Amino acid sequence: MQALGPMNIGVFSIFPDFVEAFLGVGVIGRACQQGILSVQVHDLRAASSDPHRSVDDAPFGGGAGMVMLAEPIFSSVEQANAPRPLFSLGPAGQRWNQQLASELALTDGFSLLCGRYEGVDQRVRDHLVDDEISVGDFVLAGGEVAAMVVIESVGRLLPGVLGNSSSVAEESFVDNLLEYPHYTRPGEFRGWGVPEVLLSGNHGRIQRWRQAQSLARTASLRPDLIAARGGLSEAETELLDEFGLL
């Protein structure tokens, strides 16, 4: 269970300024300012024993690119005494999703290792990190952007970070569904109106419409999420039929 104090997150990177700039804006910036979230960014170059602050070298056996050295990574993590678990960010990790974000949001904290170049020395993966996270099947220049994804998706779930707590309960991927469509003023824009049900004042009917829209959007755009739920239930099929969405 999460402690009463702030959630603590450690980030290990060769570009600390990149990450720290992100921590100063938006909901994560407010969470840090309010003491809900505490993120410590550690410069891996500062732990290098090389006079040139080197953090990479050519791979044994040859090949393109450079590999991040084990020594500065081990030294930086050990000196920082950062919160565990420590996750490396890379393609071999478990796929990041809302469920994992929700699970980490209930903990006291964790740390993230941002790789660069062709990756990190395998001994870091074997003997230092606790697990690996992948934010998707694509290639980034480094782990900093992935770290921001993890921090924001976890941080916004912490109590007090979002102004309206119901936003978290109703957003996409809750119950493996995409969120329903939203409308705001004006009621008509360039001849396109707002669904009448949203103007009816019948909150029960509005809630049923939103649920039906979530189901229909998910079935159309992300059928894999519907399959992961075991398909549509009889009640959900009836709900879609009620609003003419079958």
Side-chain angles (χ1 to χ4, degrees):
M1 181 175 293
Q2 187 181 330
L4 295 178
M7 166 173 277
N8 293 293
I9 299 176
V11 180
F12 296 88
S13 167
I14 63 171
F15 294 118
D17 292 346
F18 185 16
V19 180
E20 287 170 351
F22 157 76
L23 298 173
V25 298
V27 294
I28 297 304
R30 290 198 300 272
C32 292
Q33 292 167 8
Q34 294 169 2
I36 300 172
L37 178 64
S38 175
V39 183
Q40 300 298 318
V41 186
H42 306 280
D43 185 355
L44 290 171
R45 292 189 187 277
S48 174
S49 60
D50 185 291
H52 303 289
R53 303 179 75 199
S54 299
V55 292
D56 64 296
D57 206 339
F60 284 121
M66 305 290 277
V67 176
M68 292 187 71
L69 297 161
E71 181 185 11
I73 297 175
F74 270 82
S75 296
S76 185
V77 171
E78 291 166 353
Q79 293 169 15
N81 193 27
R84 292 281 188 161
L86 170 62
F87 298 98
S88 63
L89 297 158
Q94 57 181 322
R95 181 73 64 85
W96 185 248
N97 57 32
Q98 192 68 17
Q99 180 180 343
L100 289 174
S102 299
E103 292 172 0
L104 278 182
L106 296 175
T107 69
D108 296 334
F110 55 92
S111 295
L112 302 167
L113 171 61
C114 303
R116 278 271 157 178
Y117 315 118
E118 292 301 308
V120 302
D121 188 296
Q122 183 63 35
R123 288 165 289 192
V124 172
R125 291 193 173 101
D126 291 342
H127 305 293
L128 182 64
V129 303
D130 300 298
D131 207 342
E132 188 168 346
I133 289 171
S134 170
V135 296
D137 295 339
F138 48 85
V139 179
L140 296 170
E144 286 75 16
V145 171
M148 296 176 199
V149 169
V150 172
I151 292 170
E152 180 157 314
S153 54
V154 171
R156 63 189 302 280
L157 296 176
L158 301 178
V161 172
L162 296 183
N164 187 344
S165 59
S166 64
S167 297
V168 172
E170 297 181 359
E171 62 194 4
S172 290
F173 304 113
V174 173
D175 294 330
N176 261 12
L177 293 175
L178 299 180
E179 196 172 4
Y180 51 82
H182 296 274
Y183 297 86
T184 188
R185 294 180 295 177
E188 184 171 324
F189 175 70
R190 296 186 178 181
W192 302 307
V194 175
E196 288 295 328
V197 63
L198 297 179
L199 308 175
S200 68
N202 185 332
H203 297 294
R205 181 74 172 166
I206 291 171
Q207 187 60 37
R208 289 181 61 77
W209 179 87
R210 286 175 169 169
Q211 179 69 9
Q213 289 291 329
S214 288
L215 289 166
R217 291 186 75 196
T218 308
S220 173
L221 301 175
R222 290 293 304 275
D224 58 305
L225 294 178
I226 294 293
R229 300 171 79 246
L232 295 171
S233 67
E234 182 178 347
E236 289 170 340
T237 301
E238 292 175 356
L239 183 63
L240 289 172
D241 187 48
E242 176 184 342
F243 289 94
L245 296 173
L246 279 180

